[in-house]
Amino acid sequence: AEAQLYAKVANKHRGRSSSALLEPLLAKGFPAHIAQKALVATGQKTTEDAVKWLHSHCNDPSLDDPIPQEYALYLCPTGRLHSRLQDFWKESKRQCGKNRAHEVFPHITLCDFFTCEDQKVELLYDILKRVGDSFSQSFPPSISLTLHASPSYLGFFIDDSQANVFKSFAAAFASEASALADCHVKPSLKQFHLTLAHRFYPHHQKTLEQLAKCINPGEPCQWVAALYSRDMRFVYYQTLRALFQYKPQNIDELMINAGDLIYVNPAQQSDVSEGWVIGTSHRTGCRGFLPENYTERAHEADTWVKHREYVFDTASRSSPKEPNVKLNGEAHNLSMSRSVTNVLSLQNAALRRAVLVMRHGERVDQVFGKSWLQQCLTADGKYYRADLNFPSSLPRQKDSMKQFECDPPLSCCGIFQSRLIGEALLDQEVTVSYVYSSPALRCVQTAQHILQGLKLNPKVRIRVEPGLFEWTKWEASRAIPNFMTMAELLEASYNIDTSYRTHLSLSSLVPSESYEDYVSRSSAVIKHITSACPSKGKGVILIVGHGSSLASLTRALAGLPSRDSGDFAQMVRKIPSLGMCFCEEQKEENKWQMVNPPVKTLTHGANTAFDWRNTILED
């Protein structure tokens, strides 16, 4: 694909632009083609922006590449209608999760993406203004929007008579761009529409429709025809946003600043070490490895560049009549319509319970390897603390201490992490009413220290549920670990609810169970837990489990289909210690929805072992 891109542009004639922005760059000694590339990459705003881009891309290996940008022409709303649409974007994402529409801002596509050589982009600006002027008087004073919904699409469709004006405008722009700027531009031939949601789960359709009905399409709005560009090399990549600065420790690592956007090709990640991704920086053009937990998913359009826009001034021709919004042809008067914010307040009042599913804290073998116990035993078999991140002591077991090899405890950092999460929940005034834990010691300890941070120990007791143990296929020993008994946990001062009757017994756990059996077990357990906690009582049900618990429990609770087993394993690898998912129950529909957790995630770097003799005294 890359070779084809180069072939398209290799024999193109490079003209010389007379841009007033270009001359200062040439005077500074930048080659013409690189200066033009910098201007296009920054939307031809100012010379200062282009110079800043050039300095950032001084080590960009693709700086001399002749590949042009791709451009698209969109009709975009502004003003109060745009604000209402953004409210819908935000609330639909909170209640129903991200769908395809969230990748791009609200728009109607006039001309889909096409390429244009850097030195001819200014011609597009002139064409946009000229065609806009010729259609300014025929542009509709207001646009009639009809809301259409299906199990996978929700959006406003444009009235045919008005859509014909838009099609003529797009066709005129495409014709002139093709003739004058040597671009192959195709005007949109589909029915003109403004997408609100796309490729969402069918059971979210009703919620999305309710939110969409609160958008008044007759809100004051000025429409603009805007020209955007994107880097055609990264069209099918994922976009990540850096949350923190990262300074490379090795030559093949990528320098990133907070807020940087990173292009990542999912197909290139299979051979990358766990916890790392390889990507290309949008800011610098450099490529390298970076820690995945320093990033979050960004939107596709976050890297796009806005070049020019034509504003259709219809204010003087607008009529003040009260608009109606139509849902699949049925009119609904919106003179008393509520905003999305009002809907949210009503829905919040209907919330009853919530479920917070969390992975355990850092375990000792995660830091010191599977042979961690050998590092901590004296010749006579007694435990001692070989590193400050080992726990100060181990709880007593009637059998050999070797049981801890298959059921490891938290590290000291894991204990600190757990208590910190509890304190954060307390700060957010989260009311935890019930606590469930996997029988694994690290999960019980995590639950115990979260309760201490919440200052709920011993008010709320831990219900140990064997059915919450992780997928047994992942057990290295190919056997179910010998977990600490209830009596041993109580003797070690863990706050266990001895009156709790488990849904599954320890003996019912099957070694090396199939993925289907694990998903079925998780679904049955989460149903048991939510049924056992009174629906009339408000508060959070805290479940401390494993990385696999976050998907297997919450997707079953929210009614989402289970992942493919291969995708599931890749997903679990990305879940850090104390990673969490949060589900809220809606009273009116008696269903659960995944929303943002009540507290932020916990991110920290590695701290390796240090031997001063081998470091300081080394020649």
Side-chain angles (χ1 to χ4, degrees):
E2 189 174 87
Q4 291 174 352
L5 290 178
Y6 278 89
K8 288 181 181 179
V9 299
N11 298 319
K12 291 280 188 178
H13 172 70
R14 290 186 178 181
R16 173 84 179 247
S17 171
S18 59
S19 168
L21 296 176
L22 180 61
E23 296 302 329
L25 297 177
L26 298 178
K28 291 178 182 291
F30 293 110
H33 69 286
I34 292 180
Q36 287 169 338
K37 187 170 189 174
L39 287 170
V40 167
T42 55
Q44 300 219 28
K45 303 293 193 306
T46 66
T47 301
E48 290 74 16
D49 288 345
V51 170
K52 184 179 179 181
W53 185 92
L54 286 165
H55 285 310
S56 296
H57 286 257
C58 61
N59 295 316
D60 183 350
S62 66
L63 194 58
D64 280 319
D65 289 357
I67 297 178
Q69 297 280 300
E70 282 189 327
Y71 298 84
L73 185 63
Y74 290 152
L75 186 65
C76 304
T78 64
R80 283 166 57 181
L81 177 58
H82 179 262
S83 297
R84 298 291 82 78
L85 291 169
Q86 291 289 59
D87 289 342
F88 173 86
W89 249 246
K90 181 179 179 181
E91 191 56 28
S92 63
K93 186 176 181 180
R94 191 194 76 83
Q95 293 197 34
C96 304
K98 188 176 179 181
N99 64 66
R100 192 71 181 91
H102 290 120
E103 293 289 344
V104 187
F105 43 81
H107 70 279
I108 298 169
T109 301
L110 297 175
C111 298
D112 214 340
F113 281 99
F114 60 92
T115 60
C116 180
E117 296 172 62
D118 294 344
Q119 68 272 19
K120 296 182 179 179
V121 172
E122 280 192 276
L123 294 173
L124 297 180
Y125 304 164
D126 297 336
I127 293 168
L128 177 59
K129 185 179 187 309
R130 187 164 54 252
V131 175
D133 287 342
S134 66
F135 277 84
S136 60
Q137 292 303 310
S138 59
F139 193 88
S142 62
I143 297 179
S144 177
L145 302 174
T146 303
L147 189 63
H148 280 262
S150 73
S152 63
Y153 177 84
L154 181 71
F156 288 119
F157 278 32
I158 315 301
D159 178 77
D160 286 343
S161 62
Q162 296 174 339
N164 288 334
V165 176
F166 302 157
K167 289 180 179 179
S168 298
F169 172 81
F173 175 86
S175 177
E176 288 207 31
S178 299
L180 301 178
D182 193 22
C183 301
H184 183 57
V185 185
K186 289 184 178 180
S188 178
L189 300 176
K190 299 178 181 178
Q191 183 173 3
F192 277 21
H193 58 277
L194 192 156
T195 299
L196 297 175
H198 183 40
R199 295 184 186 176
F200 50 83
Y201 287 107
H203 66 272
H204 285 150
Q205 180 181 348
K206 185 176 181 181
T207 301
L208 291 169
E209 283 185 28
Q210 290 174 342
L211 293 173
K213 288 178 184 178
C214 299
I215 303 173
N216 182 352
E219 291 274 13
C221 173
Q222 200 166 40
W223 292 85
V224 300
L227 188 67
Y228 286 87
S229 73
R230 67 183 182 185
D231 193 323
M232 64 190 300
R233 295 173 300 165
F234 305 112
V235 170
Y236 299 108
Y237 283 46
Q238 290 179 352
T239 306
L240 304 180
R241 178 181 287 102
L243 299 171
F244 315 99
Q245 184 186 59
Y246 179 75
K247 294 182 178 180
Q249 309 297 312
N250 297 290
I251 194 171
D252 59 352
E253 294 175 2
L254 184 65
M255 170 70 185
I256 56 174
N257 292 331
D260 279 0
L261 295 166
I262 314 296
Y263 298 109
V264 172
N265 185 351
Q268 295 177 349
Q269 307 306 315
S270 57
D271 296 329
V272 178
S273 300
E274 182 176 354
W276 292 79
V277 293
I278 185 168
T280 302
S281 170
H282 173 70
R283 179 176 60 87
T284 66
C286 297
R287 188 169 184 265
F289 294 94
L290 65 150
E292 188 174 17
N293 64 349
Y294 275 49
T295 66
E296 65 178 0
R297 281 293 297 272
H299 297 139
E300 176 186 334
D302 289 346
T303 59
W304 294 4
V305 177
K306 186 177 183 179
H307 287 256
R308 297 292 185 272
E309 64 180 28
Y310 185 90
V311 180
F312 292 98
D313 185 7
T314 59
S316 59
R317 299 183 285 123
S318 298
S319 57
K321 68 178 183 178
E322 181 65 37
N324 290 338
V325 61
K326 297 180 180 180
L327 174 58
N328 293 343
E330 181 183 353
H332 298 268
N333 191 286
L334 291 179
S335 58
M336 300 297 290
S337 69
R338 299 166 296 167
S339 68
V340 172
T341 305
N342 290 336
V343 175
L344 173 60
S345 63
L346 290 173
Q347 289 176 337
N348 280 342
L351 292 176
R352 295 185 293 174
R353 300 174 296 169
V355 172
L356 180 60
V357 183
M358 192 178 302
R359 189 190 179 192
H360 55 77
E362 180 185 89
R363 44 195 268 184
V364 289
D365 60 334
Q366 186 178 337
V367 182
F368 300 104
K370 295 297 181 183
S371 60
W372 67 272
L373 191 58
Q374 298 174 19
Q375 304 172 43
C376 302
L377 293 180
T378 61
D380 55 355
K382 292 182 179 179
Y383 175 82
Y384 77 99
R385 196 178 190 181
D387 185 283
L388 288 180
N389 200 19
F390 282 113
S392 57
S393 62
L394 294 177
R396 292 179 57 185
Q397 287 200 61
K398 63 178 181 180
D399 295 325
S400 167
M401 261 205 258
K402 286 197 172 290
Q403 302 294 347
F404 288 119
E405 288 185 341
C406 296
D407 187 23
L410 292 180
S411 66
C412 277
C413 283
I415 293 171
F416 168 75
Q417 292 171 335
S418 305
R419 198 165 298 167
L420 191 63
I421 290 293
E423 292 170 356
L425 292 169
L426 180 64
D427 289 342
Q428 294 299 315
E429 299 181 350
V430 175
T431 302
V432 174
S433 302
Y434 304 93
V435 178
Y436 288 80
S437 171
S438 161
L441 177 58
R442 55 192 179 274
C443 298
V444 175
Q445 289 179 320
T446 300
Q448 175 93 347
H449 291 290
I450 289 175
L451 286 174
Q452 288 179 0
L454 276 164
K455 298 183 179 178
L456 289 177
N457 196 25
K459 297 177 184 176
V460 178
R461 297 188 177 276
I462 302 168
R463 298 177 173 181
V464 178
E465 172 55 59
L468 291 173
F469 188 57
E470 66 182 342
W471 187 10
T472 59
K473 182 181 178 180
W474 287 343
E475 275 301 300
S477 63
R478 302 298 179 188
I480 305 301
N482 288 326
F483 301 114
M484 292 182 66
T485 65
M486 294 298 107
E488 289 171 337
L489 291 172
L490 289 169
E491 184 182 352
S493 300
Y494 292 109
N495 189 29
I496 305 301
D497 185 351
T498 55
S499 65
Y500 173 66
R501 297 293 174 261
T502 63
H503 175 66
L504 292 175
S505 63
L506 281 172
S507 59
S508 65
L509 294 178
V510 180
S512 300
E513 67 187 330
S514 68
Y515 177 63
E516 291 72 20
D517 288 342
Y518 171 67
V519 170
S520 177
R521 165 163 66 92
S522 299
S523 178
V525 168
I526 193 63
K527 289 179 182 177
H528 165 76
I529 289 175
T530 52
S531 299
C533 300
S535 58
K536 294 182 180 180
K538 295 182 179 180
V540 172
I541 304 168
L542 172 62
I543 299 176
V544 181
H546 307 266
S548 57
S549 307
L550 270 67
S552 63
L553 297 178
T554 57
R555 291 181 72 89
L557 188 61
L560 303 178
S562 60
R563 288 175 173 267
D564 176 82
S565 59
D567 294 338
F568 180 77
Q570 290 295 323
M571 179 273 301
V572 171
R573 287 177 54 198
K574 300 178 181 179
I575 299 174
S577 300
L578 277 306
M580 62 186 81
C581 287
F582 194 57
C583 291
E584 287 179 342
E585 183 183 35
Q586 291 195 337
K587 185 176 182 180
E588 292 179 356
E589 301 177 8
N590 192 28
K591 69 176 185 180
W592 298 80
Q593 289 188 336
M594 293 182 67
V595 297
N596 289 329
V599 297
K600 301 295 184 182
T601 56
L602 175 63
T603 307
H604 54 78
N607 197 51
T608 58
F610 175 65
D611 187 329
W612 63 273
R613 287 187 178 86
N614 293 338
T615 304
I616 306 301
L617 299 182
E618 187 180 43
D619 292 334

